Amino acid sequence: MEWRIATAFVILLAGGGRGLACSITGLQMVEEVNAKLPKEERFEELGWYYPKTVRLYKTYRSLYPDGPLIRRLNILSAVSLISFVSAIALFGFPFAMVAWVGCGGGLLLWLQIRLSA
């Protein structure tokens, strides 16, 4: 196995670990918000979609103005995206595909950061 393929697998696994950390951070955010909300306004852990995520971020910001979880989530998402794009580049995918994934992921990351501001 070439060094670049082995390196790509290591980077891909690290990016997956960071993706798992993103999910855990999101669940931690839901737990913290739910602890301060009445039972009828609480968030369910499953079934996420854009308006629900917007409501979670706004509620978290209002309850925890200096809370670190949204920042941590954005950083983990960025590092995970960089890891994934680096891994597919090392695997030897064509530049157009790497650029497409990088730009698409960057756009989604930008939307996530704008949403959390």
Side-chain angles (χ1 to χ4, degrees), residues 10-62:
V10 171
I11 292 172
L12 193 61
L13 289 173
R18 288 182 187 92
L20 182 61
C22 282
S23 296
I24 292 170
T25 302
L27 290 174
Q28 184 180 0
M29 190 184 313
V30 170
E31 286 179 13
E32 287 185 15
V33 167
N34 281 346
K36 292 195 173 190
L37 290 178
K39 188 169 186 146
E40 58 276 355
E41 294 180 25
R42 291 185 180 166
F43 291 90
E44 294 292 326
E45 285 82 10
L46 298 176
W48 287 96
Y49 47 92
Y50 186 74
K52 185 177 177 181
T53 304
V54 170
R55 193 168 60 91
L56 174 66
Y57 282 10
K58 286 182 180 180
T59 306
Y60 182 81
R61 279 282 181 227
S62 67

Side-chain angles (χ1 to χ4, degrees), residues 90-113:
L90 284 171
F91 276 128
F93 283 92
F95 176 76
M97 179 178 268
V98 175
W100 182 80
V101 170
C103 290
L107 176 64
L108 291 174
L109 182 62
W110 176 77
L111 286 172
Q112 176 181 329
I113 292 170

